[in-house]
Amino acid sequence: MPTWTLNTEFKFDAAHFIDGYDGKCGRMHGHTYKVHIAAKSHKLNPSKYLKSADMVCDFKELKWAAAEGTKGGLDHTVLNEELPVSTTAERIAEYIHKETQTRIPDGIELTVTVWETETSWVEYTDKDV
């Protein structure tokens, strides 16, 4: 069975605090988040930018979170004001995954990796690996 895995990385800057955290992460602070998204598909699809079925999905749809907050992304936002969940790295990865799924064709398996620092990251998928 043919398989394509589309990969992209981007960064965004945002502030947050972890509500209820007993320590410095409970206070407002910022990060330059790095995000890697892998999109795996067994078929090619059209997109809103290309009508023929020649791509897994559009890179633009995978990189939505890199846009400024005023344009629907997460860049230069306070994550506590944007996300309906706690702003731990785990929940940020889960949120980006779920929001990205709504923007791409059905049947694409996503893996989202979020680095909060150069040495600390989390990977999220809704599939067993």
Side-chain angles (χ1 to χ4, degrees):
M1 168 180 312
T3 303
W4 293 266
T5 304
L6 194 63
N7 291 276
T8 191
E9 290 185 349
F10 57 88
K11 292 181 178 180
F12 67 92
D13 295 306
H16 80 126
F17 61 91
I18 300 175
D19 194 32
Y21 187 86
D22 184 16
K24 64 182 183 178
C25 292
R27 296 188 299 275
M28 182 74 73
H29 61 284
H31 297 283
T32 297
Y33 291 94
K34 178 180 163 184
V35 178
H36 177 267
I37 298 180
K40 179 179 170 183
S41 181
H42 298 296
K43 69 182 186 88
L44 296 178
N45 301 288
S47 81
K48 85 178 173 185
Y49 306 101
L50 179 67
K51 300 305 176 204
S52 60
D54 290 312
M55 56 176 53
V56 170
C57 61
D58 200 292
F59 283 115
K60 291 180 186 182
E61 299 299 343
L62 295 178
K63 294 181 177 186
W64 68 270
E68 288 185 33
T70 58
K71 296 179 180 174
L74 298 176
D75 191 43
H76 284 82
T77 64
V78 176
L79 294 177
N80 302 74
E81 296 172 0
E82 303 298 321
L83 276 61
V85 296
S86 178
T87 59
T88 62
E90 293 86 346
R91 292 296 191 183
I92 294 167
E94 179 183 28
Y95 176 79
I96 291 172
H97 182 282
K98 287 181 177 182
E99 178 60 30
T100 303
Q101 284 284 186
T102 69
R103 298 165 181 260
I104 61 175
D106 290 336
I108 297 173
E109 294 179 23
L110 290 180
T111 301
V112 174
T113 306
V114 174
W115 283 263
E116 194 171 81
T117 69
E118 287 185 22
T119 59
S120 300
W121 68 91
V122 62
E123 183 177 279
Y124 178 85
T125 184
D126 61 355
K127 308 287 182 209
D128 286 335
V129 284

